[in-house]
Amino acid sequence: GTVTIRASKQGAAILRVWLSDHTQIDDYIRIRVGYAIMPHSAVVHVGTMICFSTHLTEDHPGTWLSGDEGIVKMQPYGSSVGRAVNTGKAVIYHKMWLLVGVEGMCGLARKVKSYL
């Protein structure tokens, strides 16, 4: 099965995983949550170009998207460069695809965000 976890704040959490028919068999996973996109909370002037980056995808390219193109407009073709076009707040997403073995493509159920 697949489990999707959404972290809403920075910090650490412990996730307990167990088998439904054998609750005595379990494991614990420590999950640390931090900023994945830099800059993570930028305050910029209208017209400023912003170059976003993430350490999560060093070996795996992806597509950069703005949650509100009326606030931050990303350059075409999935570029990590955006321009502040209006005042307000926008969420920046980075979506990536990984080739898994020879089985085919696997889309990650992960959206890394940056709030501006």
Side-chain angles (χ1 to χ4, degrees), residues 1-99:
T2 301
V3 175
T4 302
I5 300 171
R6 181 178 177 167
S8 59
K9 290 194 251 182
Q10 278 190 276
I14 306 261
L15 174 67
R16 178 179 176 231
V17 182
W18 66 94
L19 299 173
S20 57
D21 10 344
H22 301 289
T23 56
Q24 71 275 16
I25 300 174
D26 60 1
D27 203 355
Y28 294 85
I29 303 166
R30 182 177 180 165
I31 300 171
R32 292 185 182 155
V33 178
Y35 293 113
I37 294 179
M38 299 303 287
H40 56 80
S41 295
V43 177
V44 297
H45 297 284
V46 172
T48 301
M49 297 293 284
I50 310 158
C51 185
F52 296 98
S53 64
T54 179
H55 64 280
L56 298 177
T57 61
E58 293 170 349
D59 298 327
H60 308 288
T63 303
W64 292 86
L65 305 165
S66 173
D68 189 340
E69 289 276 327
I71 305 296
V72 176
K73 184 163 181 59
M74 300 304 291
Q75 296 296 310
Y77 310 112
S79 169
S80 66
V81 178
R83 178 185 297 274
V85 294
N86 208 341
T87 58
K89 291 184 178 186
V91 178
I92 305 301
Y93 296 94
H94 186 270
K95 294 184 179 179
M96 62 183 167
W97 291 89
L98 298 176
L99 183 61

